[in-house]
Amino acid sequence: MRTLIIEKNELINLFKTVAKRKYESQTEECKAARKGCPERIYDTLSSFSNQDQGGIILFGIDEKNDYELCGVYDVQDLQVQLKNQCENMEPAVRAFFTAVEIDGKAFVGMEIPGIDPMERTCYYKPKGRYGGSYVRVGDADIQMTEFEMFQYESYKKRLKDDLRTVDDDSIKLFDKEKHDIYLKNAKEQRPNLTKNVSDDEIDILMGLYVKEKPTLAAVMVFSKYPQTYFPQYSIIATRISGTEITDLGIDGERFIASKRITGPIDDMVEELLKFAKENMNNSKTIINDMGERIQKPEYPLIAIREAILNALIHRDYSKMSENMPIRFEMYNDRIEITNPVQIYGGGSVDSLGRERLETRNTVIADILEILEVTKNRYSGIPTIRKEMREYNLPQPIFESQRGEFKVIFRNSFLNNNEDVVKSVLDYCSSPRTREEIIKFVNKSKNYVISKYIAPLVLSGELKLTIPDKPQSPYQKYYSKQDN
């Protein structure tokens, strides 16, 4: 876990920047403290501790008085009082304090490090774990839901929900042909496992059965219709008429197409791809090396396949999520895939495709690898990025918050300059690094800086988080959105 590394001059700039822009962020909270130590900061202590990047509380800014730089009453006493509040957290928060002076007034920055996922959730002891655990959403501290807390507990206890058994007599409804292919492939791919082992023993060793009962993993792959037992372990696919869920079409329709996609995992993947292809806005015509005219889909189908396959393999299959289907929503300018799950172990989106994170449902992943539905080599996200790059489309956006994981694909609307500007400003509603903006636009570094970042900074539409140090390695860009 890391904290914001703030030196005194950077902290002074941060105070001035927040006071000028007049709003907080995902990692910044303002407190006045002009007359004494704020009585309640436990919600922010909890929410910052429960996110990878931690956060910083800025004491000496009066949010209720137009973000006035009012200063604090007493630096030493304030720190003592704050340390006492940190001891009321479980685990205790180990904050870092930095005091600075601005125009003769004293200010304090309190950095809160994000704690290891194995220690989460951090909560306020007097209210207990279920009443005192918070998560940061934008500039707000929101009490954690039971589902969000369960996902942390599931990781700590290493619960394997794909191994929970199904009591119904499901074996009679299994696809025998698919199971035969699975056994054949298992014997060919893993001879050391299957040597001198019966077919029934292979099923037991590979997690298809526990105590003679089929596991959820087996049902989701081999059952002819898994939704008999788990109706919501499905996909709700929708083609929306505009760019927002509330937009209406020319005939007043909200949805152009809507379908619940069901069946075993591999069938759902193929059915979803069919739905996506049928409902894409348009396609491009290209000439191949043979001189043939070929229709090119609006989005790379390989990228969509990898994204939906990842969602089905890595979703939460606990009883807590049995009423939560995956959502696949197609808008005029983007596709959003929303999965009822947070990154396993609380990892950050920055680590996706770059680090080998733990797999939530190892049995499902293993079965699908043997069936050659997936390679199970951590190549899904790199493949998605590669496909979007080759299509000359923006890189995908990954978001993880409030117990949901979302993948966003944007289409060629970014070829229009005005749309690019609007999209960059929308994207920078939260502060972004230069590298993040370049990846988002998906053009060369020099092109994005000269065409968008520099002009938007000059016009004042993009602002710097550290205006006195434009070249700072910690520099980010943000846009002040109209309310």
Side-chain angles (χ1 to χ4, degrees):
M1 301 301 101
R2 63 181 181 87
T3 64
L4 302 173
I5 301 177
I6 298 289
E7 296 180 355
K8 285 194 173 184
N9 60 334
E10 291 177 320
L11 182 59
I12 290 172
N13 286 331
L14 181 58
F15 269 102
K16 291 180 178 179
T17 297
V18 174
K20 183 178 180 180
R21 77 179 186 221
K22 302 185 188 305
Y23 67 88
E24 300 161 321
S25 74
Q26 185 76 30
T27 56
E28 300 158 353
E29 176 76 14
C30 299
K31 299 291 182 184
R34 68 167 83 215
K35 295 182 179 179
C37 180
E39 294 182 359
R40 173 173 171 168
I41 64 166
Y42 61 78
D43 48 357
T44 305
L45 293 178
S46 171
S47 68
F48 281 169
S49 296
N50 289 326
Q51 63 182 10
D52 286 351
Q53 63 269 49
I56 185 168
I57 307 178
L58 302 171
F59 292 94
I61 297 185
D62 191 345
E63 176 190 3
K64 297 180 180 179
N65 193 28
D66 200 32
Y67 288 84
E68 175 194 357
L69 289 172
C70 60
V72 302
Y73 72 104
D74 184 288
V75 170
Q76 185 173 359
D77 185 70
L78 176 62
Q79 292 186 58
V80 170
Q81 298 297 326
L82 293 173
K83 288 177 182 176
N84 290 338
Q85 293 196 43
C86 288
E87 294 299 323
N88 280 327
M89 307 300 294
E90 180 61 43
V93 172
R94 301 306 179 204
F96 302 93
F97 295 92
T98 304
V100 295
E101 184 177 303
I102 304 174
D103 297 331
K105 298 177 183 178
F107 297 82
V108 173
M110 180 185 187
E111 296 182 64
I112 314 298
I115 63 173
D116 189 277
M118 289 297 288
E119 297 182 42
R120 298 178 190 172
T121 62
C122 177
Y123 63 94
Y124 182 52
K125 287 190 286 189
K127 294 187 70 173
R129 184 183 298 275
Y130 285 93
S133 294
Y134 290 79
V135 63
R136 190 76 170 180
V137 180
D139 62 354
D141 302 310
I142 308 297
Q143 191 170 334
M144 272 194 183
T145 64
E146 188 176 352
F147 180 57
E148 288 172 301
M149 295 182 65
F150 170 79
Q151 295 206 38
Y152 283 116
E153 291 300 310
S154 174
Y155 174 70
K156 286 192 287 188
K157 294 177 181 178
R158 291 296 195 271
L159 299 180
K160 295 297 181 183
D161 289 300
D162 56 347
L163 277 176
R164 64 186 176 103
T165 57
V166 180
D167 291 333
D168 299 79
D169 190 15
S170 309
I171 189 170
K172 295 179 181 178
L173 298 176
F174 274 16
D175 186 326
K176 185 179 182 304
E177 182 178 350
K178 184 188 293 185
H179 184 246
D180 288 343
I181 294 172
Y182 170 80
L183 290 173
K184 175 179 175 294
N185 289 355
K187 293 171 184 177
E188 292 175 353
Q189 297 171 15
R190 305 184 184 183
N192 291 334
L193 165 70
T194 58
K195 186 178 180 181
N196 300 322
V197 175
S198 69
D199 289 353
D200 289 343
E201 288 172 327
I202 292 174
D203 286 345
I204 294 171
L205 290 171
M206 296 302 291
L208 274 64
Y209 292 89
V210 172
K211 296 180 179 179
E212 299 183 353
K213 292 183 178 180
T215 62
L216 182 143
V219 170
M220 290 305 301
V221 177
F222 294 108
S223 173
K224 292 181 178 180
Y225 196 70
Q227 289 71 30
T228 299
Y229 318 102
F230 307 107
Q232 300 299 335
Y233 287 169
S234 54
I235 305 170
I236 301 300
T238 311
R239 175 66 173 92
I240 290 98
S241 296
T243 59
E244 300 296 334
I245 195 72
T246 54
D247 288 349
L248 301 179
I250 57 176
D251 295 322
E253 74 279 9
R254 180 165 296 170
F255 302 140
I256 295 174
S258 183
K259 184 176 184 179
R260 180 182 289 272
I261 294 175
T262 58
I265 288 176
D266 50 340
D267 286 359
M268 282 194 283
V269 171
E270 298 309 314
E271 188 68 20
L272 187 281
L273 285 176
K274 180 180 177 183
F275 178 91
K277 191 172 183 179
E278 289 175 350
N279 287 282
M280 288 185 183
N281 281 335
N282 52 61
S283 59
K284 302 175 183 178
T285 301
I286 61 174
I287 308 297
N288 67 10
D289 294 339
M290 304 295 294
E292 299 169 324
R293 300 175 66 86
I294 299 175
Q295 291 294 108
K296 185 177 181 181
E298 180 184 9
Y299 296 91
L301 294 176
I302 292 175
I304 294 176
R305 182 183 189 278
E306 291 291 340
I308 203 66
L309 187 58
N310 278 350
L312 289 163
I313 292 175
H314 299 295
R315 69 155 292 158
D316 184 286
Y317 282 105
S318 71
K319 291 184 178 180
M320 292 284 291
S321 70
E322 284 187 359
N323 64 340
M324 303 177 186
I326 292 168
R327 302 195 306 275
F328 181 88
E329 297 169 338
M330 299 183 70
Y331 298 86
N332 285 350
D333 61 345
R334 69 194 185 280
I335 288 175
E336 294 187 1
I337 302 172
T338 306
N339 197 7
V341 71
Q342 62 191 33
I343 298 175
Y344 194 51
S348 69
V349 294
D350 293 335
S351 62
L352 296 174
R354 298 179 174 89
E355 299 176 16
R356 291 203 166 192
L357 303 178
E358 292 186 56
T359 301
R360 180 187 302 269
N361 302 303
T362 54
V363 179
I364 288 178
D366 215 31
I367 294 172
L368 292 176
E369 179 185 350
I370 291 174
L371 284 171
E372 299 179 346
V373 175
T374 178
K375 289 183 169 52
N376 198 20
R377 294 292 185 272
Y378 302 93
S379 60
I381 289 178
T383 297
I384 291 171
R385 289 179 170 136
K386 173 179 175 290
E387 288 293 317
M388 293 296 282
R389 185 167 56 250
E390 291 183 353
Y391 256 62
N392 198 31
L393 294 177
Q395 284 294 288
I397 299 172
F398 301 102
E399 297 177 350
S400 180
Q401 61 179 352
R402 305 290 353 246
E404 287 188 340
F405 180 79
K406 182 178 291 188
V407 182
I408 302 173
F409 295 121
R410 292 194 177 275
N411 59 25
S412 57
F413 82 107
L414 282 183
N415 289 333
N416 181 292
N417 185 64
E418 291 182 3
D419 287 333
V420 178
V421 171
K422 181 179 182 302
S423 180
V424 168
L425 292 175
D426 287 344
Y427 181 61
C428 291
S429 58
S430 295
R432 306 286 184 177
T433 65
R434 184 173 61 180
E435 289 70 25
E436 287 176 324
I437 298 172
I438 292 169
K439 286 182 180 179
F440 175 72
V441 178
N442 197 31
K443 300 289 185 182
S444 72
K445 176 180 177 180
N446 290 336
Y447 180 86
V448 175
I449 292 173
S450 62
K451 183 76 173 178
Y452 301 110
I453 297 179
L456 289 173
V457 170
L458 286 174
S459 69
E461 294 174 271
L462 272 187
K463 301 183 183 301
L464 281 62
T465 56
I466 311 175
D468 296 341
K469 288 189 174 183
Q471 302 304 317
S472 170
Y474 306 108
Q475 187 67 259
K476 292 186 178 182
Y477 303 84
Y478 66 93
S479 61
K480 175 60 174 166
Q481 301 292 305
D482 295 332
N483 293 325

